[in-house]
Amino acid sequence: MAEVLVLVDHVDGEVKKVTYELLTAARAIGEPSAVVVGAPGTAAKVNQALAGYGAAKVYVAESENAANQLVTPEVDVLAALVGQASPAAVLVAATPKGKEVAGRLAIRTGSGLLVDAVDVAADASVTQSIFGGAFTVKAKAGTGVPVISVRPGGVEAVAAEGAATEQALEVPATDAAKVVTITSREPLKGGDRPELTEASIVVSGGRGVGSAESFEVVEKLADTLGAAVGASRAAVDSGYYPHQFQVGQTGKTVSPQLYIALGISGAIQHRAGMQTSKTIIAVNKDTEAPIFEIADFGVVGDLFKVAPQLTDEVAKRK
Ligand code: FAD
């Protein structure tokens, strides 16, 4: 069966959910081989989890440099593997880092690049969301080993048994002057909430929330649902919520099971980051708000009345 390389997305050995989605998508094409790039000891932490989603093989590239350099080790390792293993495709997460890896890898290997896939077919063709989400197209790489970035939440992760046989790899030494080195890491503010791109429920607030203080209404509903908090660009630009929580074309792309939009009009640039959510609920006092065009459930009303009622009702049913 054809081998499909999957770059494991992890933070210090904690596997991100999107990795399981990538392994699931890879199984549509062939046999997934996970590629772990990180500090010594990373593979030992992640191996069992990867086996649970059908990884037949785990290529292990561990070194201190691999943990402290941005992007270059992943590209070097994947490029070497593309040469050695002749895989049917390479899958990476369509995160800021994953997209950077995918672009560089495609150039390095002379391969076609397919970005923002929301589905992958047996012939390594993909369904993509393009032009800020304005179109959904099917596409196939015309040259080389297809490099595919898959949108987090685009494919549902399904467990499957895999042997996860480890195979050690050298991390190629790169000239230190040519790489970007991480000098420190700070966890982002977000408290105990799930990470925005990983969450199965996202509650977002827009300009309609009106102030930074009023975002408490959004946070309370999110916390009752165990959800992440998002924000529109207007809310971010107005200083209501930090930029790292912005959803949309110039923010993060999310595709949760449930997306709740509070006081968000539904501009095309916001939709680009959330319209592939499985179920969308919109609360807006304007019946004509464009968000209602894509909402599965729409509530015309004041978010300051609707959201607290919803919070109380969810809390009662817990
Ligand atoms: P508004 O459009 O002002 O809508 C506020 C909504 O709240 C209105 O529909 C109103 O009826 C409703 N409302 C007000 N009060 C209440 C209340 N009490 N109860 C219920 N409803 C209420 N936007 C993004 O979100 N993400 C992006 O990444 C992004 N990238 C962009 C990139 C470019 C190049 C450009 C040009 C724009 C981008 N934008 C982005 C901005 C986008 O065009 C919109 O301006 C923005 O999404 C609007 O945010 P909003 O819906 O919160 O605000």
Side-chain angles (χ1 to χ4, degrees):
M1 202 191 270
E3 185 170 3
V4 183
L5 300 180
V6 168
L7 179 63
V8 174
D9 190 345
H10 71 94
V11 175
D12 299 333
E14 189 193 316
V15 180
K16 296 282 173 182
K17 193 177 97 197
V18 66
T19 302
Y20 307 132
E21 296 164 5
L22 295 176
L23 288 167
T24 305
R27 300 203 308 262
I29 307 172
E31 199 166 53
S33 291
V35 182
V36 176
V37 182
T42 306
K45 290 187 201 162
V46 303
N47 188 301
Q48 215 179 345
L50 301 175
Y53 283 85
K57 208 183 278 178
V58 179
Y59 291 110
V60 182
E62 294 179 340
S63 76
E64 287 305 336
N65 278 349
N68 294 328
Q69 291 176 355
L70 264 186
V71 177
T72 323
E74 283 87 350
V75 178
D76 288 344
V77 167
L78 286 171
L81 271 174
V82 166
Q84 286 165 33
S86 304
V90 182
L91 268 55
V92 301
T95 57
K97 183 180 175 189
K99 286 180 181 176
E100 181 82 23
V101 170
R104 289 175 185 232
L105 180 66
I107 294 285
R108 187 86 72 83
T109 55
S111 299
L113 173 65
L114 298 162
V115 298
D116 269 331
V118 288
D119 198 12
V120 177
D123 63 352
S125 64
V126 301
T127 306
Q128 287 169 291
S129 178
I130 62 158
F131 295 152
F135 296 96
T136 298
V137 295
K138 289 198 192 302
K140 194 167 187 219
T143 179
V145 174
V147 178
I148 303 170
S149 73
V150 181
R151 184 175 275 197
V155 174
E156 196 182 333
V158 179
E161 223 170 286
T165 314
E166 285 191 23
Q167 191 169 321
L169 291 176
E170 288 274 313
V171 183
T174 314
D175 181 353
K178 291 187 181 154
V179 299
V180 177
T181 304
I182 299 165
T183 52
S184 69
R185 291 170 200 256
E186 295 266 341
L188 290 174
K189 172 193 174 264
D192 293 334
R193 295 191 190 105
E195 202 200 307
L196 190 52
T197 55
E198 296 264 302
S200 51
I201 306 178
V202 174
V203 183
S204 286
R207 202 197 312 260
V209 176
S211 70
E213 295 71 43
S214 305
F215 244 79
E216 200 188 2
V217 173
V218 182
E219 290 184 328
K220 275 190 176 157
L221 178 56
D223 291 342
T224 312
L225 290 164
V229 174
S232 72
R233 179 162 162 180
V236 169
D237 288 352
S238 306
Y240 303 167
Y241 223 63
H243 176 258
Q244 78 239 29
F245 299 100
Q246 182 178 316
V247 172
Q249 190 179 319
T250 42
K252 293 201 167 129
T253 302
V254 299
S255 207
Q257 293 297 319
L258 176 62
Y259 187 89
I260 303 180
L262 302 174
I264 293 177
S265 61
I268 182 80
Q269 296 90 353
H270 186 78
R271 287 153 71 147
M274 47 64 76
Q275 66 187 3
T276 51
S277 303
K278 308 295 176 289
T279 301
I280 298 168
I281 298 178
V283 181
N284 198 303
K285 64 182 184 187
D286 176 8
T287 43
E288 302 293 321
I291 192 78
F292 289 131
E293 291 164 15
I294 56 162
D296 297 282
F297 301 95
V299 182
V300 178
D302 183 347
L303 74 91
F304 293 104
K305 290 196 178 125
V306 178
Q309 281 175 23
L310 188 52
T311 306
D312 289 348
E313 197 55 40
V314 173
K316 264 191 238 159
R317 294 180 188 206
K318 270 183 152 182

